[in-house]
Amino acid sequence: MDAYNKNVFINCPFDKSYEPLLHTLLFTLIYLGYVPRITLERSDSGETRFSKICDLISSCKYSIHDLSRIKAKKKGEYFRLNMPFELGLDIGARIFNPIQHKQKKCLILEEEQYRFQAALSDISNSDIKTHNGEPIKLIKGVRDFFSENGLKHTPGYTFIYKKYLDFVDDFYDKRINEGFNKKEIFSMTIKEMIDYMFEWKEAIERLALES
């Protein structure tokens, strides 16, 4: 149950242009004391993506769904249905299994305000936070969500953003010193990034205790 209460399911785009936001999101969750759970955290060709998603949703009290790709950007391009589909699975979990998931909480993010209403009118009365594609606004939305749901003494979003920038600088320097080249650093798996973020947070917490 302790793990369930700290786990956060992440449902978001996985394209390269979204990657800076994803890294910011992962760091924010870890810095606030939560554990991000995402399909990219493990790879098993024998496991179907759908079963993995269902397993992750059932193991998380919290979830964050970013619907930034529900609109096609150019003629002939399909809009993304995966994110709304996974949002539906998550909301359905608490409806169809209220005993196990009655405490579930979810945050819905969007890039532009009100745009989701044209595609998903069923959630038009939901509290949805927008980030305009800006990492610091995404941090604010995530930070405020957890503060509103019981997290005490939550750091300010500008403070968290500065810590993220500190992590990025430190991460890059250490990987270069370890022999990684620039291409390798920017093509690391999400699992590696999450591990490095946890290690960095633990290191600065140790330094704070020793000082």
Side-chain angles (χ1 to χ4, degrees):
M1 182 56 71
D2 288 342
Y4 177 83
N5 289 333
K6 289 293 183 181
N7 284 347
V8 184
F9 173 66
I10 298 176
N11 167 29
C12 69
F14 291 151
D15 56 74
K16 202 67 179 176
S17 64
Y18 187 84
E19 201 168 77
L21 289 174
L22 175 55
H23 289 173
T24 306
L25 173 57
L26 294 170
F27 179 87
T28 302
L29 292 174
I30 291 169
Y31 194 80
L32 292 177
Y34 295 92
V35 179
R37 304 298 307 276
I38 188 169
T39 57
L40 297 178
E41 72 184 32
R42 65 183 191 247
S43 178
D44 177 7
S45 297
E47 181 181 33
T48 66
R49 181 179 175 85
F50 180 74
S51 63
K52 184 190 295 186
I53 291 168
C54 291
D55 178 61
L56 290 174
I57 288 174
S58 67
S59 68
C60 300
K61 176 178 178 179
Y62 301 99
S63 59
I64 296 176
H65 304 268
D66 194 330
L67 305 181
S68 295
R69 298 294 188 270
I70 59 173
K71 182 180 179 180
K73 291 187 177 294
K74 58 185 179 181
K75 185 177 180 179
E77 181 182 53
Y78 291 100
F79 55 85
R80 311 282 184 85
L81 292 175
N82 286 341
M83 278 71 76
F85 175 67
E86 292 176 30
L87 169 61
L89 287 174
D90 187 45
I91 293 175
R94 72 168 86 177
I95 295 173
F96 297 112
N97 194 348
I99 295 175
Q100 182 179 351
H101 296 304
K102 64 180 179 181
Q103 294 183 322
K104 263 186 171 291
K105 304 285 184 182
C106 78
L107 167 63
I108 303 175
L109 298 171
E110 236 285 42
E111 188 169 2
E112 300 175 22
Q113 195 171 16
Y114 307 124
R115 184 177 63 173
F116 68 92
Q117 293 179 352
L120 283 171
S121 59
D122 286 347
I123 60 169
S124 58
N125 292 323
S126 301
D127 180 20
I128 294 177
K129 301 183 186 298
T130 56
H131 53 66
N132 301 116
E134 300 176 32
I136 194 167
K137 289 185 178 180
L138 183 145
I139 292 173
K140 183 181 187 306
V142 173
R143 178 252 178 227
D144 290 352
F145 168 74
F146 284 103
S147 178
E148 292 160 355
N149 282 285
L151 183 63
K152 305 297 183 183
H153 309 295
T154 317
Y157 66 93
T158 55
F159 180 84
I160 299 172
Y161 185 57
K162 289 177 182 177
K163 289 297 181 182
Y164 173 67
L165 295 179
D166 289 343
F167 162 76
V168 171
D169 289 341
D170 194 40
F171 169 77
Y172 185 83
D173 290 342
K174 285 183 176 178
R175 300 298 80 79
I176 291 295
N177 291 333
E178 291 169 354
F180 289 87
N181 62 42
K182 188 175 181 180
K183 182 178 180 181
E184 290 173 323
I185 291 173
F186 289 104
S187 63
M188 279 189 173
T189 66
I190 290 300
K191 176 64 168 61
E192 288 176 293
M193 291 297 300
I194 290 173
D195 288 343
Y196 281 125
M197 288 174 180
F198 273 116
E199 288 176 11
W200 187 86
K201 181 171 184 277
E202 290 167 3
I204 62 170
E205 287 175 344
R206 283 197 304 269
L207 287 173
L209 290 173
E210 292 169 0
S211 61

